[in-house]
Amino acid sequence: MLGYTLDALDVLLYVFAVQTLRGEFHWDNKTAGLVSSATLIASSIGGIAAGILADRIGRRRTLI
């Protein structure tokens, strides 16, 4: 359970920080949504790539 929590921590922190980022960089709703979508898409691509790599070289070496 702790592993899954830490895995999604970056997305969770972004959700908490998005209002501050919107104010600091003067983002509208469209830009904030685009950045949120890019975060989730990059996370899924990284998960797929790590899974393929783990199948080839092992989970331990992938995580290290």
Side-chain angles (χ1 to χ4, degrees):
M1 182 67 115
L2 182 62
Y4 287 121
T5 302
L6 293 175
D7 184 42
L9 187 64
D10 57 342
V11 177
L12 183 66
L13 289 175
Y14 176 74
V15 169
F16 291 139
V18 72
Q19 292 301 320
T20 305
L21 291 171
R22 287 184 66 200
E24 185 70 26
F25 296 109
H26 307 291
W27 291 348
D28 57 356
N29 289 337
K30 181 179 170 184
T31 305
L34 179 66
V35 172
S36 295
S37 296
T39 300
L40 293 174
I41 290 169
S43 178
S44 65
I45 291 170
I48 292 168
I52 293 170
L53 189 61
D55 288 341
R56 292 181 187 237
I57 67 171
R59 290 184 177 107
R60 181 181 294 163
R61 289 181 63 198
T62 300
L63 290 174
I64 291 172

